[in-house]
Amino acid sequence: MHRRDLLRLAALSPLLAAAGRLPAAAAPAPTDLMPAFWRAYDAGHAAEDRARAIGQAFFAPNAELYAGAGLKPTPERLAAWLPQFDAIAEPARRLSQGFAGHYRRHVEHFQREFPDFQRERAPIYLMPSLFNFDGHLRPWQGKLPLFVGIDGIVRYHGADANLSVFLDHESFHLYHGQLVPELLMDEQPPVYGSLWIEGLATYVSERLNPDASRVQVLLDDRKLAAVDDATVRDLAGKLLAVLDSTSADDANRFFGAGHKGPEPARGGYLVGLSIARRIGRDRPLAELARTPLAKLRASMQQQLQALAAGEG
């Protein structure tokens, strides 16, 4: 997911505030592009130029939606992606066929915890993402949809991905933005803001899925899940030093999946999870989601100092 796209949610807040609330049973189903993709994919096996045939049959008719997701599936990109996708096509097909059932269960338990979530303002699109994302939030057509890359889920989370954890994490970002849009106004947020945004979403998915493993809660990042307490203390100290930073380098250093350096990639997620656990003990999740921006920096600083000192 691309955080800076999510941060533009603030511009949509008047629309979100005006929207009515729907019960879980009335929540709209995802728009599923995968059946049309599978038809094009299967027919493409007989084509001399498979990438071009699939592109013409599926990607070209859906070019507007892909542009909304920030993707341009050129023939060259499709040709590079297709052999890698072939290797995971069958688990991806099973995932897409079973997604509707997973989604219904997700809506039921998420809406019980957050009944004021305006899901009708957050449409979901199921699609192949050319491995660009698993879940991707990006304002489009006056709403903030969630684009779900079926191929990305299989590639980054495995054939047996815990979709409950994944969907709870992504839905919470949408819900959090509806409640506290001012937290998301800056396209280059300070580190303390990102720490809370990602830490709280991770904590919510953990609380809503008590049987999920540490690896699953950390979005199947095995290296991050293996980080020890000493590294968490070290990360907390480093985060304190850049608490107010808005630089892209610091954002990538602590929240980027592709970070290469002495710190573990996405270490801010793990530290943020530790902070959310400390703050969230015996508190309703919806109350945590309403934490005002005015209190956030001082709270993050206090918790980081405690973590760095090995307290609690």
Side-chain angles (χ1 to χ4, degrees), residues 224-262:
L224 188 60
V227 165
D228 59 18
D229 291 343
T231 303
V232 171
R233 292 194 295 272
D234 180 65
L235 281 168
K238 290 179 176 178
L239 282 159
L240 271 172
V242 296
L243 199 59
D244 296 304
S245 173
T246 59
S247 79
D249 286 344
D250 285 327
N252 179 65
R253 181 183 172 197
F254 294 105
F255 303 99
H259 172 64
K260 305 293 184 184

Side-chain angles (χ1 to χ4, degrees), residues 43-268:
H45 285 294
E48 183 175 347
D49 187 337
R50 289 181 64 211
R52 188 168 297 277
I54 294 170
Q56 291 174 347
F58 174 77
F59 289 97
N62 291 295
E64 183 180 0
L65 186 138
Y66 273 85
L71 290 179
K72 188 175 182 179
T74 64
E76 294 75 19
R77 291 184 73 177
L78 291 176
W81 165 78
L82 192 56
Q84 299 176 69
F85 177 75
D86 287 338
I88 64 163
E90 287 314 304
R93 195 187 298 264
R94 290 193 296 271
L95 174 62
S96 68
Q97 290 172 343
F99 192 92
H102 287 288
Y103 184 70
R104 285 193 297 270
R105 291 189 289 274
H106 158 70
V107 169
E108 289 171 1
H109 88 197
F110 195 89
Q111 294 295 142
R112 281 198 298 269
E113 191 72 33
F114 307 109
D116 56 333
F117 176 36
Q118 299 164 10
R119 189 172 289 276
E120 66 277 16
R121 301 303 307 174
I124 294 181
Y125 297 90
L126 308 185
M127 58 202 290
S129 72
L130 310 186
F131 298 142
N132 276 266
F133 53 77
D134 47 6
H136 177 42
L137 302 166
R138 193 170 193 264
W140 184 53
Q141 295 185 339
K143 297 180 180 180
L144 185 70
L146 170 63
F147 299 99
V148 175
I150 294 295
D151 57 331
I153 291 176
V154 175
R155 175 161 181 159
Y156 302 120
H157 301 277
D160 299 317
N162 189 321
L163 288 186
S164 182
V165 170
F166 169 77
L167 288 170
D168 286 344
H169 187 114
E170 300 297 347
S171 286
F172 183 77
H173 281 313
L174 295 169
Y175 175 67
H176 197 190
Q178 290 178 5
L179 290 180
V180 195
E182 65 272 23
L183 176 61
L184 311 175
M185 287 181 68
D186 192 346
E187 292 197 10
Q188 293 183 306
V191 164
Y192 70 82
S194 296
L195 189 65
W196 183 236
I197 289 168
E198 296 298 353
L200 186 55
T202 305
Y203 178 61
V204 165
S205 68
E206 179 180 67
R207 281 264 297 261
L208 294 184
N209 298 276
D211 295 331
S213 68
R214 177 181 170 91
V215 171
Q216 290 171 333
V217 167
L218 291 170
L219 300 177
D220 299 298
D221 189 329
R222 295 188 178 278
K223 289 184 178 180
L224 188 60
V227 165
D228 59 18
D229 291 343
T231 303
V232 171
R233 292 194 295 272
D234 180 65
L235 281 168
K238 290 179 176 178
L239 282 159
L240 271 172
V242 296
L243 199 59
D244 296 304
S245 173
T246 59
S247 79
D249 286 344
D250 285 327
N252 179 65
R253 181 183 172 197
F254 294 105
F255 303 99
H259 172 64
K260 305 293 184 184
E263 305 85 9
R266 298 197 309 166

